[in-house]
Amino acid sequence: MAGHGGENRAVFVYQIESYRYWQEQLNRSDFIHGQFGENFTITGLPDNVVYIGDRFQIGSAIFEVSQPRVTCYRVGIRTNEPRMPALLTGSGRPGFYFRVLQEGDVGAGDEITKVGEASERMTVAEINALLYSSSHPRELLERALRIEALSSGWRWSFEALLKSQATGSASGNAGLAPATAAHPVAPGFRPRQISTIDRESADVLSFSMLSNDGQALPMALPGQYVVLRLQPGANRPPLFRSYSLSGPASTERYRISVKIELHGAAGTYLKEQVRVGDALAVSSPRGSFILQSGERPLVLLSAGIGATPVLAMLHALAAARSTRQVLWMHAARDRRHHPFADEVRRLMRALTRGRSFVCYTRPGSGDKIGEDFDATGHLSRSVFAEVGLQRDADVYLCGPTRFMADMKQELATLGVAPEQIHVEIFNGSESMTPGVVGAVTRTPHMPKEDSNTAPLVSFARSGLAAHWNASRYQSILELAEACDVPVRWSCRTGVCHSCESGLVSGAVVYGPEPLEKPAEGNLLVCCSQPIRDVVIDL
């Protein structure tokens, strides 16, 4: 249901005339009905004649045209033509989906009778071209959005294109880029000088950084992070780590806060080797886990070091003297392992409708309930009920993997809508692999064979680096899969942009060439190859 199906994609329709077109274009004669994945193989109704919102009766059922087809890799497998996702989209012959308005019985040979149409008229081919071509005229985008029958996914894409035109951020295709790649920034690292090092708790240190050249730092959005390139030794490969900015928004100073793990290579290096006055290589702020504007109640929900991005959001709310309802909920082991406790209390005083609730899982003998923390144990559904967490709240969630999985389940049980739950994942990301079910999630690891004679591909959020092997991999996606790095993909040929990700540093080439290049500062993982060392935001 996540990749295919649902109300707007109940029935896929493809035309015999398009079969004949592809037989001629590809010099093929072996196609059989259903090979393009359609439910209904029909005669007539070409994509340049059928309009979104047209209604048809077939047998005793009634259908409405909801959207063009969005191609994925499986049509390439079914037709034994890997280029087919790109060919279908670029040709203007994608086919289309029906939603079912009236259930009924349908059989081969039934007549297709038109019984209604939308007041605003745009064909399937026109809607397809509006999204996938390089031209996105504003008047056509606005016209498309007036079609009530157009599916929600395509509406979101056209709204994103309009927004990008309004803000002037028009590189790439905002209508195709996933939310995780929605805020691209220029690749590369810049030296930033450590100005202070502060201990926040027994196992958390904060590092504040200034610009080395006196130039203003790029302004971060509350919740974003930076990537650090750390060099633990002259003959050792660099380490790349992502750290959320935990302080107030500033063009003068960045602050990151790092949990020092017992065997953590990056944290140990920062603790033992980095001193005030040293310079670190730091990327521009990036990431899509950011505080959204609005009037709904807010819940900032975290555990452990997961407090860092939501703390930046709390700083922004306090600075704006926000009048929104804000509930800060945090879980820690005890007072010694509770970073930012005093800072949060100070910020909460600036909010007229702010309140907090803190759980300690193992409070110390000197920890005072009602002063240091509010309850013993874990955050749970019963705690949500006790504090009156509202179902219509926007929830920003960050913490250990198990904690986030539990909280998402508890919030869903409480009735909080999935689109209101915003999640930040420190290590890697959530994968999306349509048509692949029951796959075992594995920890990212080195590939079976790795040499040091080719460009180094570093997956920053997964903390893994492997060398490129052109004889083994056709794309960076295939290398990521060999390393079990979580990644999003669908078409695998540069059409859908599901795999669009941040390019932290380096450069790539494309083969095959995508229909449309990604935004500057991003790359398409599915069809790119490195031409020198690259760091990718995966």
Side-chain angles (χ1 to χ4, degrees), residues 3 32 48 58 89 94 293 366 373 462:
I32 60 173
N48 61 354
I58 310 174
T89 304
S293 59
F373 66 109
S462 297

Coordinates of all heavy atoms in Angstrom, one line a residue, residues 3 32 48 58 89 94 293 366 373 462:
G3 N 3.8 1.7 -1.7 CA 4.3 2.0 -3.1 C 3.3 1.9 -4.2 O 3.3 2.7 -5.1
I32 N 3.3 -9.7 -24.2 CA 2.0 -10.3 -23.9 C 1.2 -9.4 -23.0 O 1.7 -8.5 -22.3 CB 2.2 -11.7 -23.2 CG1 2.9 -11.5 -21.9 CG2 2.9 -12.6 -24.1 CD1 2.9 -12.8 -21.1
N48 N -3.1 11.1 -24.4 CA -3.3 12.5 -24.8 C -4.7 12.9 -25.1 O -5.0 13.9 -25.6 CB -2.4 12.8 -26.0 CG -2.7 12.0 -27.2 OD1 -3.6 11.1 -27.1 ND2 -2.1 12.2 -28.3
I58 N -17.5 0.5 -16.7 CA -17.1 -0.7 -17.4 C -17.8 -1.8 -16.6 O -17.7 -2.0 -15.4 CB -15.5 -0.9 -17.2 CG1 -14.8 0.3 -17.7 CG2 -15.1 -2.1 -18.0 CD1 -13.2 0.2 -17.4
T89 N 8.1 7.3 -19.1 CA 7.9 8.6 -18.6 C 8.2 9.7 -19.7 O 7.4 10.6 -20.0 CB 8.6 8.9 -17.4 OG1 8.3 7.9 -16.4 CG2 8.3 10.3 -16.8
P94 N 2.7 7.1 -20.3 CA 2.8 6.4 -19.1 C 1.6 5.4 -18.7 O 1.8 4.5 -17.9 CB 2.9 7.5 -18.1 CG 2.0 8.6 -18.7 CD 2.3 8.5 -20.2
S293 N 6.1 25.8 10.7 CA 5.3 26.8 11.3 C 3.8 26.3 11.4 O 3.5 25.3 10.7 CB 5.3 28.1 10.4 OG 4.9 27.7 9.1
G366 N 20.2 10.8 45.1 CA 20.0 12.2 45.4 C 19.1 13.0 44.4 O 18.9 14.2 44.6
F373 N 13.1 15.6 38.1 CA 12.3 14.8 37.2 C 10.9 14.7 37.7 O 10.6 15.0 38.8 CB 13.0 13.4 36.9 CG 13.0 12.5 38.1 CD1 12.1 11.4 38.2 CD2 13.8 12.8 39.2 CE1 12.1 10.5 39.3 CE2 13.8 11.9 40.3 CZ 12.9 10.8 40.4
S462 N 25.6 6.8 8.0 CA 25.8 5.4 8.4 C 27.2 5.2 9.0 O 27.5 4.1 9.5 CB 25.5 4.5 7.2 OG 24.2 4.5 6.8

